[in-house]
Amino acid sequence: GAGVSQSPSNKVTEKGKDVELRCDPISGHTALYWYRQSLGQGLEFLIYFQGNSAPDKSGLPSDRFSAERTGGSVSTLTIQRTQQEDSAVYLCASSLTMGGGNTEAFFGQGTRLTVV
Amino acid sequence: DAKTTQPNSMESNEEEPVHLPCNHSTISGTDYIHWYRQLPSQGPEYVIHGLTSNVNNRMASLAIAEDRKSSTLILHRATLRDAAVYYCILRDYSGAGSYQLTFGKGTKLSVIP
């Protein structure tokens, strides 16, 4: 596709279950970001991947959160033992290169996660 | 990323120009100034970015102060579709390999018909 694709678009899960959220970045984009946005709040950075470098995990809120990026393309964000406070929209973005600040990021439409 | 300051909200009449300000007094020489916007129930979308010179594209113009400590996003003719939260972000490469794109609270723009 032409843009960043995220799936599922909506996910309802029971408290304590694990969930996996998927992001397909734009082809050829080496940088990939995950953010989350709680209702009425701003975007909270979670994790960043750049090529084969070690990911920047500084934004992950707890060890229940993890992410991987296979083959430098598709990324999966996993939340284990979900809690109600994990309910939010999870957004993925990708960027063409890491060449300084002179690149723009493209966002997907997000996955709305509801933990009941 | 260095910090930016924006008004919480602004209003504009439809079909009139809108000037959205951003202060970034601690900007470094290698920071690019980026603007993104987020329409209701959508992911953010890129609007424009620049380094020192003013920039124009099909969506907007970016006016950068000579000392680079402030900038203004200009929408030449606001439409109802421009109602969104607008984020001003400084983007730099920090040598540790981290390339965060840090969002503040932004300015919520309301467009009045």
Side-chain angles (χ1 to χ4, degrees), chain A residues 33 35 37 41-43 45 48 50 56 58 91 95 97-105 107-109, chain B residues 30 32 34 36 38 41-46 49 87 91-93 97-105:
Chain A
Y33 306 78
Y35 294 83
Q37 188 170 32
Q41 301 299 309
L43 277 81
F45 167 79
Y48 158 70
Q50 170 57 45
D56 176 359
S58 61
L91 290 155
S95 180
T97 68
M98 197 174 66
N102 196 21
T103 56
E104 63 205 71
F107 282 80
Q109 292 301 301
Chain B
T30 53
Y32 283 80
H34 283 245
Y36 287 76
Q38 188 173 23
S41 302
Q42 294 192 26
E45 65 174 344
Y46 166 80
H49 77 284
Y87 297 97
R91 200 172 188 204
D92 185 19
Y93 171 66
S98 175
Y99 192 15
Q100 290 188 25
L101 188 61
T102 304
F103 287 77
K105 295 189 182 300

Side-chain angles (χ1 to χ4, degrees), chain B residues 41-110:
Chain B
S41 302
Q42 294 192 26
E45 65 174 344
Y46 166 80
V47 178
I48 200 167
H49 77 284
L51 185 61
T52 56
S53 303
N54 295 345
V55 184
N56 299 294
N57 67 20
R58 63 174 180 81
M59 290 181 70
S61 295
L62 176 60
I64 301 173
E66 195 169 334
D67 63 4
R68 300 206 330 124
K69 295 186 176 183
S70 65
S71 60
T72 303
L73 179 70
I74 302 165
L75 307 179
H76 296 287
R77 213 164 147 262
T79 68
L80 296 179
R81 196 195 171 276
D82 292 321
V85 178
Y86 286 78
Y87 297 97
C88 168
I89 300 163
L90 301 184
R91 200 172 188 204
D92 185 19
Y93 171 66
S94 61
S98 175
Y99 192 15
Q100 290 188 25
L101 188 61
T102 304
F103 287 77
K105 295 189 182 300
T107 297
K108 184 175 182 179
L109 175 66
S110 301

Side-chain angles (χ1 to χ4, degrees), chain A residues 65-83:
Chain A
F65 288 73
S66 63
E68 60 180 26
R69 188 177 184 193
T70 53
S73 180
V74 171
S75 178
T76 303
L77 177 69
T78 301
I79 309 173
Q80 296 179 311
R81 305 180 302 281
T82 52
Q83 304 294 313

Side-chain angles (χ1 to χ4, degrees), chain A residues 16-97:
Chain A
K17 301 276 187 170
D18 298 352
V19 294
E20 285 190 352
L21 312 180
R22 177 187 169 104
C23 173
D24 282 276
I26 293 172
S27 177
H29 280 194
T30 56
L32 187 148
Y33 306 78
W34 282 99
Y35 294 83
R36 74 175 174 181
Q37 188 170 32
S38 301
L39 188 63
Q41 301 299 309
L43 277 81
E44 176 188 3
F45 167 79
L46 296 177
I47 189 169
Y48 158 70
F49 295 91
Q50 170 57 45
N52 295 322
S53 301
D56 176 359
K57 303 179 182 180
S58 61
L60 294 178
S62 78
D63 59 8
R64 295 187 297 105
F65 288 73
S66 63
E68 60 180 26
R69 188 177 184 193
T70 53
S73 180
V74 171
S75 178
T76 303
L77 177 69
T78 301
I79 309 173
Q80 296 179 311
R81 305 180 302 281
T82 52
Q83 304 294 313
Q84 287 185 328
E85 60 263 28
D86 299 334
S87 296
V89 175
Y90 289 81
L91 290 155
C92 175
S94 71
S95 180
L96 185 58
T97 68

Side-chain angles (χ1 to χ4, degrees), chain B residues 17-45:
Chain B
V18 183
H19 291 231
L20 296 165
C22 181
N23 287 319
H24 28 80
S25 59
T26 59
I27 191 170
S28 75
T30 53
D31 282 328
Y32 283 80
I33 302 159
H34 283 245
W35 285 82
Y36 287 76
R37 72 179 185 181
Q38 188 173 23
L39 279 64
S41 302
Q42 294 192 26
E45 65 174 344

